[in-house]
Amino acid sequence: MNPEEILHYCLTRLEGTVLVESWGEKGIFYNPGNVLRRGVYVLTVKEKDGENDNASALDRPNVYRLNLGLRRPTFVRLFGTLPKRPAKGKIVAMDYDFSALDTLLPHPVYAWMGWVCVLNPSKGTFEALKPYISEAYAFAQEKFKKRKISV
């Protein structure tokens, strides 16, 4: 799989989503009718290291990271616990190789919020991620409704 295939999959199957490019990543946001300024994150694809996010070693040739925001109970079911929020510029205190390819991992910075990631998912891994993409989409829809009411 490549980033464009993943983004295309989401934009053509997740109704009400838009692509937003910023901060060196491409994000799929739930924002039907562009009601909110940016919408609500469903997932992102990050293709380069950032100053505060380099644990995945995205500076390697052709390496990217798919990031998904899941509900906290799902994250706990997958990884046992939610870690504490790391200090600025640090990663979460979890014993994982955040640079491993084609492996479902806690997000190195945002795991404390229930985010997971996979570096360079294969087609088989992407198939296994589809239920999590659906969950991230449904979770974004729930958050969107709450934000829309407060706008």
Side-chain angles (χ1 to χ4, degrees), residues 39 48 50 54 58 60 65 79 84 98 109 111 117 124 145:
K48 65 179 184 175
N54 57 21
L58 299 177
R60 295 175 285 170
R65 187 179 68 213
F79 300 107
K84 291 183 181 178
F98 295 111
V109 177
C117 65
K145 286 178 188 173

Side-chain angles (χ1 to χ4, degrees), residues 11 13-18 29-34 137 144:
L11 291 169
R13 287 173 178 81
L14 306 177
E15 188 175 334
T17 58
V18 295
F29 286 75
Y30 182 71
N31 196 12
N34 292 309
Y137 175 64
F144 177 86

Side-chain angles (χ1 to χ4, degrees), residues 81-96:
T81 187
L82 276 171
K84 291 183 181 178
R85 183 178 185 170
K88 184 178 179 180
K90 303 293 182 184
I91 63 172
V92 293
M94 298 182 83
D95 191 23
Y96 288 90

Side-chain angles (χ1 to χ4, degrees), residues 9 11 21-22 30 67 73 89 95 123 127 142:
Y9 170 86
L11 291 169
E21 297 185 43
S22 59
Y30 182 71
N67 310 292
D95 191 23
K123 287 185 188 245
E127 283 299 315
E142 293 167 17

Side-chain angles (χ1 to χ4, degrees), residues 58-125:
L58 299 177
D59 55 348
R60 295 175 285 170
N62 302 312
V63 174
Y64 69 95
R65 187 179 68 213
L66 172 62
N67 310 292
L68 300 166
L70 302 180
R71 292 181 180 96
R72 290 179 174 151
T74 302
F75 184 95
V76 169
R77 183 175 48 79
L78 290 167
F79 300 107
T81 187
L82 276 171
K84 291 183 181 178
R85 183 178 185 170
K88 184 178 179 180
K90 303 293 182 184
I91 63 172
V92 293
M94 298 182 83
D95 191 23
Y96 288 90
D97 175 2
F98 295 111
S99 66
L101 301 177
D102 199 30
T103 304
L104 183 63
L105 299 164
H107 188 287
V109 177
Y110 299 116
W112 64 275
M113 295 190 310
W115 280 72
V116 300
C117 65
V118 179
L119 280 66
N120 291 41
S122 64
K123 287 185 188 245
T125 298

